[in-house]
Amino acid sequence: ATAVPADTVRFAAGWRMGAAAGRSGVARIRLPVGYRRPDAPDSLEALENDVALLALTDQISVKPLRLAPAAPGKAGFTAVGYPAHPPRGPTVQHACTVTAGTAGKPVWRTTCFAVGGASGSPLLRDVQPPTVLGIIVARDPRTAVAVSAARIRRLFPGVLDP
């Protein structure tokens, strides 16, 4: 079971200045097998399973982004976040990188700054179309913390794109 009932969640794609490119309710929230809320969210290992998949109630016209096939290495990427207050539009940070101490791990510290409300926001590889390298799950005073696309694939085998 999830801490939040699916019927209380709304999904808005492409949110900007009070308008969304697509909206839907959420039919189901799927958590990784064995998920439990992190007791110590300051531990990177505690955040390895802190993601969920949302099954939408309605089809929207926004094309979903695919998970990146590989980690970013030393290449820069873009972080897109949606601040909790006021929720007007995205914050965008370019040229973010994974910190050396977390490169190659399931959970990364990045050089991006995460604003309150950014959890669930993507880290995007700067290609066309963009691909998702990871999802922001936490923040600390200087960095955004993200679960890698490779880890997300392992948590939901056979569900996400190859």
Side-chain angles (χ1 to χ4, degrees):
T2 64
V4 178
D7 63 357
T8 65
V9 178
R10 297 285 301 158
F11 177 78
W15 184 264
R16 185 181 303 266
M17 301 306 289
R23 294 177 185 259
S24 177
V26 174
R28 185 172 65 125
I29 299 172
R30 182 172 173 185
L31 298 173
V33 172
Y35 172 82
R36 62 185 195 97
R37 186 179 170 100
D39 293 328
D42 56 334
S43 158
L44 295 184
E45 292 77 22
L47 296 169
E48 287 183 2
N49 298 332
D50 200 20
V51 296
L53 290 179
L54 305 179
L56 304 181
T57 58
D58 306 300
Q59 187 170 5
I60 59 175
S61 61
V62 177
K63 185 176 180 180
L65 298 177
R66 297 179 63 81
L67 292 174
K74 295 184 190 275
F77 52 85
T78 299
V80 179
Y82 290 87
H85 305 289
R88 298 195 193 288
T91 60
V92 179
Q93 297 175 69
H94 299 283
C96 298
T97 58
V98 174
T99 63
T102 61
K105 295 187 177 183
V107 179
W108 308 323
R109 288 192 190 282
T110 72
T111 58
C112 294
F113 174 77
V115 296
S119 290
S121 298
L123 302 177
L124 302 174
R125 183 181 302 274
D126 298 326
V127 296
Q128 289 303 319
T131 55
V132 177
L133 290 161
I135 301 294
I136 296 174
V137 294
R139 67 184 175 126
D140 66 24
R142 292 185 203 97
T143 66
V145 177
V147 173
S148 70
R151 176 65 182 168
I152 294 167
R153 272 198 191 91
R154 284 192 298 277
L155 291 172
F156 300 102
V159 176
L160 301 170
D161 56 68

